[in-house]
Amino acid sequence: MPYEQERASRIGHVQTALSPAISEAMERWQTPALEVGDPAHITERLTSLESLNRDDRPDPTFAIAFDGSNQEVEARPGYPSVRVGYIQIAGVYVDILKFLGANSSGLVNARQLERAQITQTVNSVLPGSNVFLKGVTGRESWRAEFDRSFAESEITDFGNSFSLTDALMTIHGKPGAPASSLTLSKCPSCGASNQRVTASGGVCTTPDCMEKLYPTDVLRGYEEFTDDGENALTLTRAMNMAERLLLISYIDGFYRVEPRMLSQGIFITDGPLAVYGPAAPMKSKFLEYWTQLCVAMDRRDIAPPLLVGIEKSGRFADHARVIERHIPNGHVMMLDTPYINRYVTNQKPDHHYGKDEFYGRRFIYKTSTGESLVVTVPRVPGGHPYEKPQRDSAGGFIQVPSEKYESYPTLRATLEALDLMQTQLYPNAVIPVALAHSASSLPLGTGRSVLTLLAQRSLGMPQDSVGLSRFKPPKYR
């Protein structure tokens, strides 16, 4: 690491570029192929959207998309290890009929488009390294403030307030009925197993510990927190869980108030239907909630909601761009596990991909206008979307139930709805996600400077942001 104000030599890269060890390593390594030769392994996995069965449901009348943004800033001039993190999550409601009507004349009616959407945002600030509550460690401070942020981030769209903590308890219970308590696999302090906590918290049962416990400890974000350094990954994990739980808040709100409305909506998340990192065990809770929701709605003879995750970037989005010329418009590609292992992730053929993180399966869809969407859709009425590859007596792979289109009866209606809501604002994009991203994004540049100044003033530290001396941070009660 350089000293402060130290600059690298302009020719400092020469020795690295000419090093035999570097060039030899580059020759040994491989990357995913950018050219696809014989496309049979692609075309044999394609099917037209029109050939898929469509479940009995009304056309969706509304879409709700969720996206989040986060930034970690240095909060003390001359002391860059003092850091604060910001999270902002947005849910955007789009009236599909009004949205489609905004383009009735050939040009988009901006006012009509504005009337077609409603935006809800929740935001939080979390302590980073060298920021702590009085009398407790940095990690304990992060745990306490993370729990506070979930408890105070709430929506009131369905009458009574419903917080992200309520949503967390709901996926541990069942639709319309949050669990009264949940079990932590271990105490964050002493490691004692099977600790019960309610929505308001609890205390470790080990006499020598008696640590304060929080329901958000079940997400285990504290495991990646560092007392001295950046916590961008921890912040991203927190943001992703907040996105998923805000979605649950809305789905469960409709279920409690008017469940038939669920069958008229499409719910869209930014990113796949998956949970990564220490919180990955929550995947089973999302899967259980979804299964119970589908069963409960089927008993009332109501179609389940359309639920989909859309990936804007990453290796699957890259792979879709590489092979899209082999996919006709209006066709969908089933990404079975043997294909993923061989052509995308470079794993052994029998590797059980996605078993720990996913509650939906990926598909690649080429829209009617030639755009490529990487989507994740759950099974209906439930079940694991990825199963361990099975071989037949000849050594080939057997198509398992999770790799049959019949397991995804909402797929066709989902893709048809996304096809209607495409936008040319960005490549391979749909309007609800673009609107959610716009509402949630925390800008770089001046926006970052404002957040830095907010942290400095709130913490009572000297301020070094140029041009923002008149900025007054909001007051919170």
Side-chain angles (χ1 to χ4, degrees):
M1 293 294 292
Y3 290 105
E4 187 176 356
Q5 304 300 324
E6 182 184 9
R7 298 292 182 267
S9 168
R10 292 190 176 185
I11 60 172
H13 62 282
V14 174
Q15 286 186 328
T16 298
L18 297 178
S19 169
I22 300 295
S23 59
E24 290 172 5
M26 296 288 188
E27 292 175 359
R28 292 195 302 270
W29 298 341
Q30 294 183 342
T31 63
L34 295 179
E35 294 296 330
V36 180
D38 179 9
H41 62 285
I42 299 171
T43 56
E44 67 186 9
R45 291 174 166 85
L46 299 177
T47 189
S48 67
L49 192 60
E50 293 180 351
S51 68
L52 297 179
N53 292 327
R54 195 183 194 279
D55 60 350
D56 186 18
R57 67 169 59 247
D59 291 332
T61 60
F62 69 89
I64 303 182
F66 301 87
D67 198 0
S69 182
N70 66 83
Q71 279 197 33
E72 188 179 40
V73 300
E74 298 173 3
R76 184 170 182 175
Y79 209 129
S81 62
V82 176
R83 308 181 75 87
V84 170
Y86 294 91
I87 295 176
Q88 184 159 278
I89 311 297
V92 175
Y93 172 98
V94 177
D95 184 313
I96 294 179
L97 297 180
K98 288 183 179 180
F99 163 73
L100 295 177
N103 193 30
S104 57
S105 64
L107 297 175
V108 174
N109 184 324
R111 291 184 178 178
Q112 183 74 3
L113 182 59
E114 181 68 24
R115 287 193 290 267
Q117 62 175 294
I118 301 173
T119 302
Q120 172 76 278
T121 60
V122 296
N123 48 64
S124 300
V125 60
L126 293 171
S129 59
N130 285 302
V131 178
F132 36 80
L133 297 170
K134 186 176 180 179
V136 297
T137 66
R139 192 172 83 152
E140 291 170 350
S141 298
W142 190 90
R143 290 176 50 231
E145 291 301 298
F146 183 43
D147 183 74
R148 180 192 296 273
S149 72
F150 269 40
E152 295 180 352
S153 296
E154 56 187 23
I155 62 171
T156 57
D157 302 68
F158 301 95
N160 296 331
S161 62
F162 195 86
S163 69
L164 296 185
T165 300
D166 293 325
L168 179 62
M169 302 304 292
T170 297
I171 66 170
H172 284 82
K174 59 183 180 180
S180 58
S181 64
L182 56 81
T183 301
L184 306 181
S185 60
K186 63 179 180 179
C187 168
S189 181
C190 70
S193 60
N194 299 324
Q195 300 294 313
R196 300 289 292 181
V197 296
T198 66
S200 58
V203 177
C204 178
T205 56
T206 304
D208 294 335
C209 179
M210 301 296 288
E211 174 77 13
K212 170 68 175 175
L213 303 176
Y214 307 98
T216 50
D217 285 335
V218 75
L219 305 177
R220 296 165 54 183
Y222 59 84
E223 293 183 8
E224 295 181 312
F225 180 85
T226 174
D227 288 307
D228 186 16
E230 296 184 5
N231 282 289
L233 179 60
T234 307
L235 199 62
T236 298
R237 305 278 199 218
M239 178 196 72
N240 288 338
M241 285 305 306
E243 285 181 39
R244 301 308 185 258
L245 291 173
L246 184 60
L247 179 146
I248 293 296
S249 299
Y250 277 91
I251 289 180
D252 206 70
F254 279 110
Y255 179 79
R256 296 191 310 272
V257 176
E258 182 48 70
R260 290 192 177 277
M261 286 290 293
L262 278 175
S263 65
Q264 300 175 31
I266 176 169
F267 296 82
I268 310 170
T269 68
D270 176 49
L273 300 181
V275 185
Y276 297 101
M282 289 298 99
K283 160 252 184 176
S284 63
K285 295 301 178 183
F286 283 103
L287 191 58
E288 289 171 11
Y289 176 85
W290 173 255
T291 302
Q292 292 179 82
L293 179 71
C294 290
V295 171
M297 295 189 69
D298 184 63
R299 288 173 180 165
R300 302 185 185 191
D301 196 27
I302 307 173
L306 302 179
L307 175 61
V308 60
I310 300 179
E311 295 178 62
K312 301 193 295 280
S313 60
R315 59 183 173 183
F316 281 84
D318 292 342
H319 186 74
R321 285 189 287 270
V322 170
I323 68 172
E324 64 181 356
R325 65 185 183 275
H326 300 296
I327 306 177
N329 292 1
H331 281 64
V332 60
M333 180 179 179
M334 165 78 73
L335 296 177
D336 57 79
T337 301
Y339 180 93
I340 291 173
N341 287 339
R342 179 174 179 181
Y343 296 105
V344 185
T345 63
N346 192 36
Q347 293 286 346
K348 294 181 178 179
D350 296 306
H351 173 67
H352 189 173
Y353 175 81
K355 65 175 181 177
D356 296 321
E357 305 91 2
F358 282 81
Y359 53 100
R361 172 173 280 276
R362 281 189 177 104
F363 299 84
I364 296 176
Y365 174 57
K366 188 79 166 287
T367 71
S368 59
T369 60
E371 300 295 316
S372 295
L373 299 178
V374 179
V375 302
T376 319
V377 176
R379 293 177 66 177
V380 175
H384 294 282
Y386 290 99
E387 299 172 273
K388 186 174 178 58
Q390 303 292 321
R391 291 185 180 271
D392 56 26
S393 58
F397 289 103
I398 301 173
Q399 188 182 44
V400 295
S402 62
E403 295 174 351
K404 296 180 179 180
Y405 284 105
E406 291 78 10
S407 295
Y408 306 90
T410 63
L411 180 61
R412 177 172 174 174
T414 298
L415 298 180
E416 288 175 342
L418 296 180
D419 218 317
L420 285 175
M421 297 184 289
Q422 297 179 78
T423 174
Q424 293 184 344
L425 286 172
Y426 314 101
N428 310 317
V430 294
I431 275 287
V433 175
L435 294 175
H437 179 73
S438 176
S440 69
S441 58
L442 295 171
L444 298 175
T446 300
R448 182 181 179 89
S449 298
V450 170
L451 296 178
T452 300
L453 185 57
L454 173 60
Q456 292 172 350
R457 288 194 173 181
S458 300
L459 293 172
M461 293 181 174
Q463 293 138 35
D464 64 345
S465 298
V466 179
L468 294 168
S469 59
R470 297 182 181 180
F471 171 74
K472 294 182 179 180
K475 295 181 179 179
Y476 297 96
R477 290 183 294 176

